[in-house]
Amino acid sequence: DQELSRQMEAKFLQLQKECEKLKFASGSLQKDSQQKQRAIEMLFESLEKLQKEKADEQDMLAAMELKADKAALSSKVDCSQFDENMEQLDERMEDLQNQISDQKQHWDTVLQQFSDAMEEKV
């Protein structure tokens, strides 16, 4: 019986040691699991932040379409240049109106002279 009791006690001590090893391994695995869980949570937070901050692809494409390219921009007229050209056009139109008015007066004078000459001859 004593021999059996010693064997049982040795087995019990061996089981206790193995149980402590398993407990230690379990603790290590649990710590690793917690660290990995925190890392995963941080990754999810980073992913959510990126999704909030990222530019929508369609918005970017629309903005790029609206953006003037250099070739199109060079063909467009500057506002100050447009105003300057309109002022020049106004001046030319006034000159033309003055010339037409002078021409009309000249024609009226010539027509009056022609009419007077016709009356004298009649």
Side-chain angles (χ1 to χ4, degrees):
D1 277 341
Q2 286 182 349
E3 184 65 31
L4 186 61
S5 175
R6 279 188 219 140
Q7 286 178 354
M8 293 278 278
E9 197 173 314
K11 290 234 183 219
F12 181 74
L13 288 173
Q14 187 180 2
L15 280 174
Q16 267 188 331
K17 287 179 183 178
E18 287 181 16
C19 186
E20 286 180 21
K21 287 180 184 177
L22 286 174
K23 187 176 177 183
F24 178 76
S26 173
S28 294
L29 287 173
Q30 193 173 15
K31 284 181 184 178
D32 285 349
S33 174
Q34 288 173 350
Q35 287 176 345
K36 289 180 181 178
Q37 183 65 32
R38 276 186 244 132
I40 289 171
E41 288 173 1
M42 288 174 56
L43 284 172
F44 274 115
E45 289 173 6
S46 296
L47 179 64
E48 287 176 7
K49 183 179 177 183
L50 284 173
Q51 285 177 340
K52 288 178 184 175
E53 293 176 359
K54 78 171 185 171
D56 185 38
E57 181 180 359
Q58 290 178 346
D59 290 343
M60 285 298 292
L61 291 174
M64 287 174 63
E65 286 178 17
L66 291 176
K67 184 178 178 183
D69 64 15
K70 290 182 180 179
L73 187 60
S74 67
S75 69
K76 301 213 183 259
V77 177
D78 185 359
C79 186
S80 61
Q81 184 181 6
F82 176 78
D83 289 340
E84 187 178 313
N85 288 341
M86 288 304 292
E87 286 177 20
Q88 288 177 358
L89 183 62
D90 283 341
E91 289 172 8
R92 288 181 185 168
M93 290 298 288
E94 285 181 34
D95 288 344
L96 282 173
Q97 284 179 337
N98 289 335
Q99 287 177 2
I100 290 172
S101 178
D102 291 344
Q103 188 69 33
K104 184 179 182 297
Q105 287 175 357
H106 179 70
W107 277 105
D108 286 344
T109 304
V110 169
L111 185 61
Q112 186 62 40
Q113 288 174 355
F114 183 72
S115 183
D116 290 342
M118 287 296 283
E119 281 185 32
E120 282 180 23
K121 288 193 176 190
V122 172

